């Protein structure tokens, strides 16, 4: 037998490598120029050094003459260039292996001759940070679990398998991961990958003029990356092709890549997709079923992949994840009763990607375990015309700065999530349920989860619905969250907890329009602002029906509830507790009922007197504990009479009841309103606040009016007030702040020469005209030198006047959409001394 040898011209220095298995006393390891050529210590076998060359022929383990085995990692070209040759039928076995470990270092290995082999028990890197070259020739073999050719950025790798009987067996095979990779399969050789073969953007596979065979469970490559004459056998493919599975094209088919015969037998062990580097299309039709283990539409940056799965029985069953827009642009269409199922679904996965998925038509279904819409890219999911989507969990807008959008539209269109739903995680989530669509979430739901998220859910139109169950509903957890229920949409929430603005965040729920309803059942705490800033707006006939163990309005943060407009109502079974910063405004015919009401300092309840608004506690027999403020306001248009805006049994506490524009009767729970002092704009009006609490000014040139309501005095107290229409530079400066299509609807300067103390509340009613929406109006304040937006948190709009409370007399204005001109006579209607206007009233006689 030939003696085991390490060939070198350097002086021999005996060395017994401790990592070697067997007896090595008579073996030599040589040094050249003081550089160690072979080291097996501390789990490392390396070959490197100036002119380093290690040739192994034979056996270093006398107990086994057929193999050299080590459990260490092998590095050829570790810190300096190195080469390794395995020949003469010898075999080398190592754990992981590296060729070209360090940057700017080259590692070369040659395995040649029948019986010669090199097995890596785990991963093989050909070009890790440097340059790697592996040649398997003349019947030699190599094997490993996973292989990378050109692993890190700046690396390069080349593997050549050449000659009949020469073979390389791998698990997953990556040609050009982040570096440059080349795989050559020449002259009848074979490469077998039990996992997927992925060719990176700087990777190529070359078969030459007389190539061999690549057999793999899946191939991800563009035809432009493969050259020569050879054969590819694969169980899956992602490429830039027009791939069709229909009645004429089954799951097994053959096509050509630049002269390479590709035999595809698509199965559940292989990937499937189109749009790898360029463009591709996938069609599944005619009731054909296709299986895969992972799907990609738009794999690399700049690619475009589109898939249409159409027709009853047509299906794509994916045991892995499906990426619609992995790094490129992806489009998925599921129509006419087709089905797609996968473990995880991602629409817009990597940064810079875009994805759109559409599920349309009765029985068209997409089933997911996890569903991400806008993961780190931009994603859109459309569910239309009766299509259905299911998921165990869903997330929209996962990454910061990205947006995930979901549209559920049409009768029968439905998304069902059995677990957690996050609408806006770090990014933005936008969900629209319309035209009879249905959303069902059975687990924890968050809208606007993190501080970078600004997200919304809208349920719009008759028949459109959202049913939310599970542990809790959060609208604004750390980010901004909005729930809109509009135009007859319905939301049913049956959960253990509800929190609007949970943690120094912002949360808003808008329930607007006849038929728009939120049924909120909460077995635990219901917080309208636990720590952040929240608003519950019930307007234009919207309804909220709620019940909870506890309800806190403004618990620690700022919580505001507005119930405004005829038919708008909030019916709460339980006690409404208003915390440190709670505000409840009832106006323009809105109604609130509750089992009890607790108003803590310095919370505020405001209801108007004259437009049918009402607050009812336990059918008029319940208790109000008032340690804050109850404010009852009469607008400029209130008719003379006695009103009962709040009904209850008893009131306790140290708080106050303020009537602005009338006189409060604590015994009978009524407010008496008398005629306003009326005059021309610019003139000074004087009235005794013990008998008259309202003023009305009319501008003769425009016909516009403004009213002001004050608290009654307990003894004769004169108040002299002037109100003048804004003009000149004051008007011009405000108009310059408005956007396109906006106009100053009304603006006035107020001043008092006697009878008013700055800081006391005054209820102002500025004529704004018809045709506006409450939330399209903006109130402005003028401090004598500049205009700024005014926080009119109790703003009410009765289709004529915009009314709000101020605590000082200066300049105020209201802006909105520029109105269509109306004859001045209309403005003058009802501007007489009685202050009578055509408003809906809730009135009782004393």
């Amino acid at each position: 037998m030939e003696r085991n040898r390490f060939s070198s011209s350097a002086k021999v220095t005996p060395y017994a490598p401790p990592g070697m298995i067997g007896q090595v006393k008579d073996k030599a390891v040589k040094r050249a120029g003081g550089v160690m050529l072979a080291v097996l210590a501390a789990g490392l076998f390396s070959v490197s050094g100036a002119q380093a060359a290690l040739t192994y022929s034979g056996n270093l383990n006398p107990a086994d003459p057929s193999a050299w085995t080590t459990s260490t990692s092998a590095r050829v070209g570790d810190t300096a260039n190195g080469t390794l040759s395995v020949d003469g039928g010898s075999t080398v076995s190592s754990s992981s292996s590296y060729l070209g470990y360090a940057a700017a270092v080259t590692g070369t290995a040659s395995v040649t001759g029948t019986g010669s082999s090199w097995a890596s028990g785990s991963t093989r890197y050909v070009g890790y940070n440097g340059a790697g070259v592996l040649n398997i020739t003349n019947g030699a073999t190599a094997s490993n679990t996973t292989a990378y050719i050109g692993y890190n950025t700046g690396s390069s790798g080349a593997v050549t398998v050449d000659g009949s009987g020469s073979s390389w067996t791998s698990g997953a095979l990556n040609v050009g991961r982040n570096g440059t990779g080349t795989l050559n399969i020449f002259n009848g050789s074979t490469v077998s990958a039990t996992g997927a073969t992925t060719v990176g953007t700087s990777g190529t596979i070359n078969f030459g003029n007389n190539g061999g065979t690549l057999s793999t469970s899946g191939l991800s490559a563009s035809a432009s990356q493969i050259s020569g004459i050879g054969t590819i056998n694969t169980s899956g493919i992602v490429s830039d092709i027009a791939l069709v599975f229909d009645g004429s094209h089954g799951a097994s088919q053959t096509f050509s890549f630049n002269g390479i015969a590709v035999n595809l037998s698509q199965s559940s062990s292989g990937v499937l997709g189109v749009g790898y580097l360029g463009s591709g299309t996938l069609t599944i039709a005619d009731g054909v079923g296709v299986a895969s283990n992972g799907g990609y539409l738009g794999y690399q940056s700049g690619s475009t992949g589109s898939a249409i799965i159409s027709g009853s029985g047509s299906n794509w069953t994916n045991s892995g994840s499906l990426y619609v827009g992995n790094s490129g642009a992806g489009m998925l269409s599921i129509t006419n009763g087709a089905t797609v199922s996968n473990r995880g679904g991602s629409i817009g996965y990597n940064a810079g990607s875009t994805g759109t998925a559409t599920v349309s038509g009765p029985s068209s279904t997409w089933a997911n375990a996890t569903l991400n819409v806008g993961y780190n890219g931009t994603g859109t999911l459309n569910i239309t015309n009766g299509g259905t989507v299911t998921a165990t969990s869903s997330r929209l807008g996962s990454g910061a700065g990205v947006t995930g959008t979901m549209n559920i539209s049409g009768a029968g269109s439905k998304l069902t999530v059995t677990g957690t739903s996050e609408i806006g995680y770090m990014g933005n989530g936008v969900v629209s349920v319309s035209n009879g669509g249905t959303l069902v979430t059975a687990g924890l739901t968050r809208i606007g989860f993190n501080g970078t998220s600004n997200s919304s859910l809208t349920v719009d139109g008759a028949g459109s619905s959202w049913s939310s169950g599970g542990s809790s509903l959060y609208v604004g957890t750390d980010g901004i969250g909005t729930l809109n229920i509009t135009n007859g949409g319905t939301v049913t929430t049956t959960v253990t907890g509800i929190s609007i603005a949970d943690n120094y965040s912002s949360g808003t729920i808008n329930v607007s329009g006849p038929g728009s309803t939120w049924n909120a059942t909460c077995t635990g705490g219901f917080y309208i602002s636990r720590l952040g800033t929240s608003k519950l707006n019930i307007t234009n006939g919207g309804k909220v029906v709620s019940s909870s163990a506890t309800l806190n309005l403004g618990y620690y943060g700022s919580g505001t509830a507005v119930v405004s407009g005829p038919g708008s109502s909030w019916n709460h079974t339980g006690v409404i507790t208003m915390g440190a910063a709670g505000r409840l405004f009832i106006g323009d015919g809105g109604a609130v009922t509750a089992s009890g009401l607790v108003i803590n300092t310095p919370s505020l309840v405001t209801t108007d007197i004259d437009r049918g608004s009402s607050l009812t506690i336990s059918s008029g027999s319940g208790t109000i504990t008032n340690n804050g403020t109850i404010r009852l306001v009469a607008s400029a248009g209130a008719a003379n009479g006695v009103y009962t805006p709040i009904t209850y049994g008893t009131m306790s506490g140290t708080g106050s009841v303020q009537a602005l524009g009338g006189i409060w009767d604590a015994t009978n729970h009524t407010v008496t309103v008398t005629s306003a002092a009326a005059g021309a704009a610019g003139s000074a009006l004087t009235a005794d606040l013990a008998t008259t609490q309202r003023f009305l000014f009319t501008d003769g040139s425009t016909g516009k009016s403004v009213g002001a309501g004050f608290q009654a005095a307990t003894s004769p107290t004169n108040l002299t007030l002037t109100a003048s229409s804004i003009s000149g530079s004051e008007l011009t400066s405000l108009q310059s702040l408005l956007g396109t299509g906006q106009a100053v609807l009304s603006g006035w300067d107020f001043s008092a020469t006697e009878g008013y103390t700055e800081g006391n509340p005054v209820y102002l009613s500025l004529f704004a005209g018809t045709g506006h929406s409450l939330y399209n109006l903006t109130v402005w304040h003028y401090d004598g030198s500049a205009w700024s937006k005014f926080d009119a948190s109790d703003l009410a709009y009765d289709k004529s006047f915009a009314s709000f409370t101020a605590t000082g007399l200066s300049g105020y204005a209201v802006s909105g959409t520029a109105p269509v001109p109306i004859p001045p006579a209309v403005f003058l209607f009802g501007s007489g001394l009685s202050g009578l206007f055509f408003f809906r009233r809730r009135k009782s006689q004393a």
Side-chain angles (χ1 to χ4, degrees):
M1 176 184 297
E2 180 184 359
R3 180 175 175 82
N4 306 313
R5 59 184 174 83
F6 294 85
S7 299
S8 174
S9 60
K11 180 180 177 181
V12 176
T13 301
Y15 178 73
M20 199 91 54
I21 296 177
Q23 303 298 318
V24 294
K25 294 180 180 179
D26 60 340
K27 307 303 182 284
V29 178
K30 301 186 177 182
R31 297 177 182 266
V35 179
M36 184 67 70
L37 299 184
V39 177
L40 283 86
L44 173 65
F45 161 56
S46 68
V47 181
S48 63
Q51 303 299 323
L54 174 61
T55 300
Y56 173 68
S57 299
N59 171 41
L60 286 183
N61 184 357
D64 182 359
S66 65
W68 170 22
T69 302
T70 177
S71 61
T72 61
S73 173
R75 295 182 185 176
V76 179
D78 184 8
T79 57
N81 296 341
T83 64
L84 170 65
S85 296
V86 181
D87 58 26
S90 58
T91 61
V92 174
S93 177
S94 61
S95 58
S96 57
S97 61
Y98 299 82
L99 300 177
Y101 183 80
V105 169
T106 299
T108 303
S110 176
V111 186
T112 183
T114 302
S116 300
S117 68
W118 182 11
S120 284
S122 58
T123 305
R124 186 186 302 275
Y125 300 92
V126 182
Y128 185 70
N129 288 306
V133 178
L134 173 61
N135 298 312
I136 307 165
T137 61
N138 299 319
T141 64
S143 63
N144 44 260
T145 56
T146 303
Y148 294 95
I149 307 174
Y151 183 72
N152 284 319
T153 301
S155 67
S156 64
V159 176
T160 298
V161 188
D162 190 358
S164 177
S166 301
S167 68
W168 181 23
T169 302
S170 180
L173 175 56
N174 298 271
V175 184
R177 180 182 181 267
N178 290 313
T180 300
T182 301
L183 173 60
N184 300 311
I185 309 173
F186 294 158
N187 300 313
S189 62
T190 61
V191 174
S192 300
T194 57
T197 297
T198 302
V199 183
T201 55
S202 296
T204 57
I205 298 178
N206 180 24
F207 286 86
N209 294 326
N210 182 30
T213 300
L214 168 64
S215 297
T216 180
S217 69
L219 175 65
S220 296
S222 176
S224 62
Q225 297 175 290
I226 302 175
S227 62
I229 300 174
T231 302
I232 298 176
N233 301 315
T234 181
S235 299
I237 192 165
V238 180
S239 192
D240 303 324
I241 54 177
L243 194 57
V244 177
F245 299 97
D246 60 8
S248 302
H249 305 80
S252 296
Q253 49 188 277
T254 299
F255 46 88
S256 177
F257 270 2
N258 299 332
I260 309 297
V262 179
N263 300 312
L264 172 65
S265 296
Q266 185 65 49
S267 72
S268 59
S269 65
V271 293
L272 176 61
V274 289
Y276 186 70
L277 290 178
S279 299
T281 60
L282 168 65
T283 301
I284 303 174
D286 299 338
V288 171
V290 178
S292 67
N293 181 19
Y296 297 91
L297 303 174
Y299 188 90
Q300 300 282 14
S301 178
S303 66
T304 300
S306 302
I308 298 175
I309 298 86
S310 181
S312 178
S314 302
N315 68 88
W316 183 3
T317 303
N318 197 327
S319 58
S321 295
L322 173 58
Y323 300 90
V324 183
N326 180 58
S327 292
M331 286 149 281
L332 171 66
S333 176
I334 307 169
T335 63
N336 300 318
T339 62
V340 173
S341 62
N342 41 262
R343 185 177 69 233
S346 291
I347 307 173
Y349 184 68
N350 286 316
S353 66
T354 60
T356 301
T358 300
V359 185
S360 181
S363 300
S364 299
T365 304
W366 187 16
N368 301 267
T370 59
L371 175 61
N372 287 287
V373 182
Y375 188 71
N376 283 311
T378 300
T380 301
L381 172 60
N382 300 310
I383 309 172
T384 62
N385 302 319
T388 60
V389 175
T390 62
T392 55
S393 64
S394 71
R395 177 181 288 178
L396 282 73
S398 184
V402 305
T403 298
T405 303
M406 187 181 297
N407 301 306
I408 309 168
S409 178
S413 302
K414 185 176 183 180
L415 169 66
T416 301
V417 182
T418 57
T420 299
S421 297
E422 293 172 334
I423 301 171
Y425 184 68
M426 297 291 290
N428 305 320
V430 179
V431 177
S432 172
V433 184
S434 62
N435 299 316
T438 301
L439 172 63
V440 177
T441 57
L444 171 69
T445 300
R446 297 186 179 103
I447 305 173
F449 182 67
N450 280 304
T452 54
S453 176
N454 186 343
S455 301
S456 65
L457 167 59
T458 298
V459 182
D460 181 77
S464 303
S465 66
W466 173 32
S467 175
S468 172
S471 57
S472 296
L473 167 63
Y474 295 90
V475 181
T477 304
D478 283 298
I480 300 173
T482 303
L483 169 61
N484 300 306
I485 309 168
T486 55
N487 299 315
T490 61
V491 172
T492 301
T493 304
T494 307
V495 293
T496 57
I498 298 174
S499 185
I500 311 172
D502 183 66
N503 187 24
Y504 301 105
S505 59
S506 175
T508 302
I509 296 182
N510 299 311
V511 186
S512 180
S516 301
T517 305
W518 181 23
N519 296 302
T521 301
C522 177
T523 58
F526 186 166
Y527 295 90
I528 303 175
S529 183
R530 187 195 293 265
L531 288 174
T533 301
S534 69
K535 289 185 177 181
L536 171 61
N537 298 314
I538 309 168
T539 60
N540 301 319
K543 298 181 183 299
V544 173
V545 179
S546 60
S547 64
S548 63
T550 59
L551 189 149
N552 289 275
L553 176 58
Y555 182 61
Y556 282 117
S558 174
T560 301
V562 176
V563 185
S564 179
S568 301
S569 65
W570 182 13
N571 184 354
H572 180 67
T573 301
V575 176
I576 298 176
T577 299
M578 302 179 64
R583 300 289 185 269
L584 173 60
F585 301 113
I586 311 168
D588 295 335
V592 174
T593 63
S595 303
L597 178 62
V598 177
I599 309 169
N600 289 308
T601 305
S603 290
L604 169 68
V605 175
T606 300
T607 182
D608 63 38
I609 292 171
D610 53 301
R611 293 190 287 274
S613 305
S614 65
L615 171 62
T616 303
I617 304 302
S618 193
S619 301
S621 62
T623 299
I624 296 177
T625 303
N626 179 22
N627 292 307
T629 301
I630 296 175
R631 186 173 289 159
L632 309 174
V633 295
S635 72
N640 296 350
V642 179
Y643 298 86
T644 309
I646 58 175
T647 57
Y648 58 94
T650 59
M651 182 184 297
S652 62
T654 59
S656 64
V657 177
Q658 301 174 348
L660 303 182
I663 300 174
W664 166 246
D665 184 338
T667 300
N668 297 308
H669 311 167
T670 59
V671 176
T672 300
V673 175
T674 58
S675 298
S683 63
L685 295 178
T686 300
D688 182 357
L689 292 180
T691 58
T692 302
Q693 296 80 39
R694 292 188 301 153
F695 293 77
L696 180 68
F697 297 87
T698 301
D699 188 323
S701 61
T702 64
K704 294 182 180 180
S705 299
V706 65
F710 297 85
Q711 292 187 77
T714 57
S715 60
T717 302
N718 284 336
L719 171 64
T720 301
L721 181 68
T722 302
S724 304
S725 295
I726 64 172
S727 60
S729 61
E730 185 179 350
L731 175 60
T732 301
S733 64
L734 177 55
Q735 288 174 331
S736 69
L737 299 177
L738 305 182
T740 303
Q742 297 289 300
V744 178
L745 304 178
S746 187
W748 299 80
D749 286 318
F750 300 90
S751 62
T753 56
E754 64 172 336
Y756 177 75
T757 301
E758 194 76 12
N760 285 342
V762 52
Y763 195 62
L764 302 178
S765 299
L766 281 64
F767 187 84
T770 60
H772 302 289
S773 168
L774 175 66
Y775 296 105
N776 289 330
L777 297 177
T778 301
V779 178
W780 299 84
H781 175 247
Y782 187 69
D783 63 3
S785 60
W787 288 97
S788 61
K789 290 184 179 180
F790 181 72
D791 183 16
S793 51
D794 63 340
L795 178 65
Y797 173 62
D798 60 6
K799 308 307 179 187
S800 183
F801 280 87
S803 302
F804 56 93
T805 303
T807 55
L809 295 175
S810 52
Y812 295 93
V814 60
S815 66
T817 304
V820 176
I822 299 175
V826 176
F827 294 112
L828 294 172
F829 178 83
S831 61
L833 293 178
S834 66
L836 294 178
F837 291 83
F838 50 98
F839 295 106
R840 295 184 57 175
R841 305 180 184 89
R842 182 173 181 269
K843 173 182 174 183
S844 61
Q845 298 298 323

